[in-house]
Each structure stands twice: as structure tokens, then as C-alpha cells.
Amino acid sequence: MNVQEALAGYKETLEAYLDALPMKGAPDSLREAMRYSLLNGGKRLRGCLLLSSCEMLGGDEADALPFAAALEMIHAYSLIHDDLPAMDNDTLRRGKPTNHVVFGEAVAILAGDALLTHAVEIMAASGHLHVLEALREIIGAAGVGGMLAGQTLDVTLEGMAPDIGLVQKIHQGKTAALLTAPVTAGLLLAGAEESQVEAGRQYGYHLGMAFQIVDDLLDLEGDPQLMGKTLGKDREEGKLTWPACVGVEQARRDAEKHIQEAVTALAPFGEKAAFLRELAESTLHRAQ
Ligand code: GRG
């Protein structure tokens, strides 16, 4: 299995679906701002994780697409809001000017809100047999006990002395929650049993933690061109990061350990989990 080829296949299907979303009723200015951040690249990791987890248990890809699209919409909303002057004040995202730089702050805030609410609308309208279980996983991960919790700690605790327990909480909320939900929701859409959903939850948590530790490392030593954003800001702004707590070498070892745990969690799925396993392993070597 070539993980990059498989990813490209999922990505193509997902992007065609996102591009065709009618966003009915949206004024042109809102639609333009939503599409700007939804269709301007990105690895599509969350959407691809959902499609592949669903497919792994024999679920139907077409039925899973609204949920994969919803995850990418929620992710895009979080990036738009994170880049705002009141949060990270970033002017570059995915190698292009950030949403508020192009459309102004007011429209950027509305575009983020619109992407979040439209995501819920699309999932609810899917009529999928398992819609409520999947929606709960996804919105719960984005909500007060997930991404919003992580982001709140991240912005309010800037400048604090390094504390690994707190960083674990921030990374779990800010990043791992939205990488776990695609796996658990994808499995639920395919009619998974509870033990399989739990295995997916473990996999997503460890993948998400490793993903964010690598992100912290890339902020220190990555290539700004490949990352498509300004690097070095974490240290400049006194952000609580994994390498700030344990050092670069230990951070690398911790990321590897999380990936080993992620792979171990896939055991109940046997060979069917080849894509998820290779995707997790490739996270350690990502440059963007
Ligand atoms: C504002 C509610 C709210 C949340 C913001 C997403 C986020 C939370 C902050 C952005 C900064 C950051 C480091 C987030 C952690 C998650 C992460 C690594 C996002 C980038 O995800 P990728 O690499 O992005 O999958 P692409 O561009 O490939 O989609």
C-alpha cells in the first residue's frame, strides 16, 4: 500500500464534494470567504481519516462524504478564527494570505461561524442511519470538552512556565480531539461495535498527540515554505509546547512512542488497518 497514493485518491473525491457544495442562501461575499479557506489546499487529513476508517469496516464512501466534508469545514473554521488578530494574528496560512487579510475581520469571523454551522447542517441532512452517533463524536470533539478547551488553555496560559501536564491537555484538546473524531465517526458510520470504536479512539488520540508534537518541532526547525505559514512564533510568544517542556530530542522520542501506541491500538483490525498504520508512521516524517 502506498499511503500517499491512497491519500491522493481520498483527497480528490473529498475536494470535488467540497467544491460542489451549494451553500444555498449565502450572500456572495460570505460564500467567497468560506470557499477561500475551504478550498485553498491543506492535507485533508481529517476528511481522509474519516473516509478510510469507514471504508476499513466496509462502510459506503458516498454516505460518509458529508461527514468527511463537515470535518474539513470545522477544521477550516478553526484555522480562520485562530489566525485572527485577537488570537494568533497570522497573515499567512497554507502559503496564502489569511482569511481576514483578504476579506476583513468581520467577514472572516462570519465565514468561520458559517463553516461550523453549515457543517452541522450537512451532517444532519445526510439522513445516515448512524447520523446522531457520528454527529455527536464530531461536534463533541470541536466543542467545549475538545478543541475549544484546548484552544482556550492555549491562548490564556501563554507565557506560563513549561508544564507537561498542561501541554498534554492543550494538545489533546486543540489537535488530538479533531483527529480522533474522524476515526470514531467513520467507524460508527460503518456500524462498528463499541470495542472497535474504542480502539479507534486510542489510535486517534495517539496519532493526534504525535501530530501536534511534530507540529511543535516543525515550528522550531521546519521549512516555512513547505509549512506555508510563519514559523518560530511558539517560542517568541512563550507558547506551552512539548519541546519547551522536555527538549527537542525527548520530544522526538515521545512522538515516536505515541505512534507506536497508535499502531498497537489498530491490532483488532488486522491487515485491514494497513492505511491507518502507514498514515500514522508517515506523520513522524512529515515536513508540512
Ligand atoms: C479558534 C476554535 C479555534 C480553534 C483553533 C486549529 C487550531 C485551534 C489552531 C491552529 C493552530 C494549531 C497549531 C492547531 C493545532 C492543529 C493543527 C496542527 C492544525 C493544522 O492542521 P493541518 O496540518 O493543516 O492538518 P492543513 O493545512 O494541512 O489542513
Side-chain angles (χ1 to χ4, degrees):
M1 136 111 37
N2 180 326
V3 73
Q4 294 311 326
E5 267 174 32
L7 259 179
Y10 288 126
K11 202 174 159 188
E12 198 182 326
T13 312
L14 182 54
E15 289 190 339
Y17 184 88
L18 291 172
D19 191 28
L21 280 176
M23 299 176 181
K24 254 194 221 146
D28 289 349
S29 51
L30 184 61
R31 178 185 292 106
E32 202 192 334
M34 289 166 77
R35 285 178 59 85
Y36 179 79
S37 289
L38 191 57
L39 298 167
N40 72 346
K43 296 181 285 298
R44 306 294 185 203
L45 201 51
R46 293 149 191 85
C48 292
L49 273 169
L50 187 137
L51 295 178
S52 55
S53 302
C54 183
E55 194 180 39
M56 180 170 75
L57 294 191
D60 188 273
E61 182 181 81
D63 292 346
L65 265 172
F67 297 85
L71 270 156
E72 289 298 326
M73 293 166 86
I74 294 169
H75 175 54
Y77 126 74
S78 76
L79 299 178
I80 295 175
H81 281 196
D82 187 65
D83 290 334
L84 286 167
M87 295 227 198
D88 264 7
N89 196 17
D90 271 309
T91 53
L92 203 62
R93 169 73 64 184
R94 294 170 174 166
K96 300 196 186 85
T98 46
N99 198 291
H100 66 272
V101 168
V102 179
F103 300 97
E105 277 183 59
V107 172
I109 292 170
L110 291 166
D113 294 343
L115 284 163
L116 173 62
T117 47
H118 203 42
V120 178
E121 196 178 342
I122 285 170
M123 289 189 280
S126 72
H128 197 289
L129 176 64
H130 298 292
V131 60
L132 278 182
E133 294 145 272
L135 200 150
R136 188 174 167 205
E137 283 292 317
I138 292 169
I139 289 303
V144 291
M147 185 170 70
L148 283 168
Q151 179 74 352
T152 304
L153 296 175
D154 189 63
V155 300
T156 55
L157 300 179
E158 243 176 55
M160 264 194 55
D163 175 332
I164 196 75
L166 261 181
V167 178
Q168 188 275 336
K169 271 202 186 122
I170 293 173
H171 286 15
Q172 176 168 14
K174 194 175 76 168
T175 308
L178 218 58
L179 286 168
T180 302
V183 182
T184 49
L187 295 172
L188 284 164
L189 291 170
E193 292 166 12
E194 210 170 308
S195 62
Q196 292 174 313
V197 178
E198 197 39 49
R201 200 177 299 289
Q202 287 304 314
Y203 167 81
Y205 167 73
H206 289 293
L207 171 71
M209 289 301 294
F211 190 84
Q212 186 56 52
I213 295 172
V214 170
D215 212 68
D216 290 349
L217 289 165
L218 286 169
D219 189 70
L220 289 173
E221 36 187 50
D223 176 343
Q225 224 32 22
L226 286 174
M227 290 293 280
K229 61 179 185 180
T230 317
L231 298 182
K233 286 189 70 183
D234 290 348
R235 187 157 48 188
E236 220 171 85
E237 288 167 6
K239 289 265 185 199
L240 289 174
T241 67
W242 207 269
C245 291
V246 302
V248 164
E249 288 311 317
Q250 185 59 42
R252 246 184 231 118
R253 284 192 289 273
D254 290 342
E256 279 165 21
K257 193 153 172 284
H258 277 296
I259 291 304
Q260 280 164 15
E261 299 271 358
V263 170
T264 303
L266 293 172
F269 304 110
E271 257 322 289
K272 283 190 295 192
F275 175 79
L276 291 183
R277 187 179 61 239
E278 290 186 30
L279 182 70
E281 285 162 353
S282 71
T283 295
L284 288 174
H285 313 292
R286 75 185 177 98
Q288 53 182 348

